[in-house]
């Protein structure tokens, strides 16, 4: 019994040491985690806007939230069409490709009847929107992502349609200029779970970046939301994110950040060509 207990203690100590020696996130991993956390947040904010502003939706809400989230990246970084921005778009698309390739248990496979598109389809959808945003400058994206030319041919139209839809409701639903911001989206940070190797580091970096507050403020200021809402970074027990319409709460899980980190570490990430 004592031997077992000592064995257990040694294991615990080794785990602690391993966690303590875990190298900090590399700049590339941090960039990938940040891009995908931002996109996930914007996708869930898409659900919030659909629900709170009663946006009309044709097609599946999950596809609409993907388009709102991806076009949201252009709204956040609209003036910054540089290598860093295109790297961000590539990171978001690449996540879905890596996720589609990762071996997973049957219950984690997205089924054809699911309300979400298959992971590989989401990869091509994002690659297409990214390329379609500026086909003259972004021809390299076809090679980098492997987007088939049959799809690439119409990506500029796909991008224009999505951008037009966002512009359309922005013009109709935006808060009148000069009117007070009555409803706010507040940001709450719960403690990360102790077992996540980069939990505290990620919490510190997310807080320091101020990105959650920037997205929450932008949405509060752009639209007259019918009620206050919350954006919460919390522990959920599994990689996930969702919009809880009953409580007007967007939830982003620490486990998702860890999951982005694991996938970023699994293989080399694509890059825009050097200029
Ligand atoms: Zn969704």
């Amino acid at each position: 019994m004592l031997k077992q207990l000592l064995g257990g203690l040694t294991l615990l100590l080794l785990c602690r040491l391993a966690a303590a020696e875990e190298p900090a996130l590399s700049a590339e991993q941090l960039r990938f985690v940040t891009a995908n956390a931002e996109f996930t947040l914007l996708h869930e904010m898409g659900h919030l806007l659909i629900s709170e502003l009663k946006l009309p939706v044709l097609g599946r809400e999950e596809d609409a939230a993907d388009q709102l989230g991806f076009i949201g990246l252009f709204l956040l970084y609209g003036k910054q069409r540089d290598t860093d921005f295109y790297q961000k778009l590539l990171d978001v698309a690449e996540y879905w490709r890596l996720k589609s390739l990762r071996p997973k248990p049957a219950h984690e496979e997205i089924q054809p009847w699911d309300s979400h598109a298959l992971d590989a389809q989401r990869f091509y959808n994002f690659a297409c929107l990214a390329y379609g945003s500026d086909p003259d400058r972004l021809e390299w994206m076809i090679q980098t992502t492997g987007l088939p030319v049959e799809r690439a041919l119409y990506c500029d139209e796909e991008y224009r349609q999505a951008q037009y839809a966002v512009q359309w409701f922005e013009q109709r639903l935006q808060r009148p200029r000069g009117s007070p911001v009555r409803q706010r989206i507040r940001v709450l940070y719960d403690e990360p779970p102790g077992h996540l190797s980069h939990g505290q580091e990620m919490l510190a970096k997310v807080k320091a970046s101020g990105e959650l507050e920037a997205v929450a403020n932008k949405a509060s200021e752009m639209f007259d939301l019918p009620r206050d809402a919350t954006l919460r970074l919390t522990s959920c027990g599994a990689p996930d994110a969702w919009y809880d319409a009953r409580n007007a709460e967007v939830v982003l899980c620490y486990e998702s950040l860890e999951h982005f980190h694991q996938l970023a570490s699994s293989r080399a990430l694509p890059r825009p060509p050097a200029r």
Side-chain angles (χ1 to χ4, degrees):
M1 183 68 191
L2 184 65
K3 205 175 155 194
Q4 276 175 340
L5 192 68
L6 280 175
L9 277 175
T10 314
L11 192 68
L12 197 71
L13 267 175
L14 282 176
C15 289
R16 286 259 163 86
L17 276 176
E21 283 168 9
E22 187 84 34
L25 296 166
S26 72
E28 191 180 51
Q29 289 165 351
L30 184 64
R31 190 202 67 216
F32 184 88
V33 171
T34 306
N36 282 289
E38 271 177 0
F39 170 74
T40 306
L41 189 59
L42 291 170
H43 169 104
E44 299 308 333
M45 291 296 286
H47 285 301
L48 179 145
L49 294 179
I50 288 169
S51 172
E52 298 298 312
L53 301 177
K54 306 279 178 270
L55 297 184
V57 174
L58 293 174
R60 295 185 301 189
E61 179 172 337
E62 288 303 336
D63 295 337
D66 269 355
Q67 295 215 342
L68 283 167
F70 207 74
I71 297 296
L73 290 171
F74 285 86
L75 294 180
L76 273 184
Y77 299 97
K79 294 189 183 77
Q80 182 208 324
R81 300 286 183 99
D82 57 11
T83 307
D84 287 348
F85 178 64
Y86 292 123
Q87 179 71 69
K88 192 183 283 291
L89 302 186
L90 273 184
D91 281 340
V92 172
E94 179 66 7
Y95 164 71
W96 294 99
R97 196 179 70 84
L98 291 176
K99 190 162 177 279
S100 75
L101 297 176
R102 187 182 63 118
K104 43 188 152 328
H107 70 274
E108 281 184 28
E109 279 304 339
I110 299 289
Q111 299 300 324
W113 44 258
D114 199 272
S115 56
H116 298 83
L118 305 177
D119 295 339
Q121 288 178 308
R122 293 173 89 175
F123 161 66
Y124 286 116
N125 289 345
F126 296 135
C128 181
L129 284 176
Y131 164 67
S133 69
D134 197 350
D136 291 340
R137 281 182 63 198
L138 301 178
E139 215 179 323
W140 55 266
M141 220 175 248
I142 295 180
Q143 286 85 44
T144 308
T145 60
L147 185 68
V149 72
E150 292 90 332
R151 176 77 182 265
L153 270 177
Y154 302 101
C155 290
D156 57 339
E157 277 177 37
E158 284 193 40
Y159 175 79
R160 270 204 306 273
Q161 271 188 340
Q163 192 204 30
Y164 174 70
V166 172
Q167 253 173 18
W168 192 93
F169 81 76
E170 240 184 82
Q171 282 164 4
R172 279 154 186 82
L173 297 169
Q174 70 187 354
R175 195 171 53 82
R177 218 176 268 272
S179 68
V181 177
R182 285 176 302 190
Q183 316 297 345
R184 281 263 169 214
I185 302 175
R186 65 185 175 144
V187 179
L188 297 176
Y189 298 93
D190 291 340
E191 269 300 294
H195 66 271
L196 285 194
S197 50
H198 294 91
Q200 289 296 343
E201 187 187 353
M202 286 194 281
L203 170 62
K205 290 205 158 125
V206 171
K207 265 190 178 173
S209 73
E211 299 221 13
L212 266 53
E213 288 79 3
V215 170
N217 289 339
K218 181 137 184 152
S220 310
E221 279 155 20
M222 273 179 85
F223 303 107
D224 231 343
L225 296 171
R227 56 180 170 160
D228 287 330
T230 311
L231 202 166
R232 183 186 293 273
L233 185 59
T234 193
S235 167
C236 324
D240 209 347
W242 63 85
Y243 174 60
D244 169 6
R246 207 155 57 140
N247 299 309
E249 183 167 90
V250 167
V251 176
L252 177 61
C253 310
Y254 281 107
E255 289 85 350
S256 285
L257 306 186
E258 181 74 4
H259 170 64
F260 296 145
H261 169 235
Q262 282 166 0
L263 284 187
S265 320
S266 66
R267 58 178 77 199
L269 299 169
R271 289 167 181 274
R275 297 203 159 253

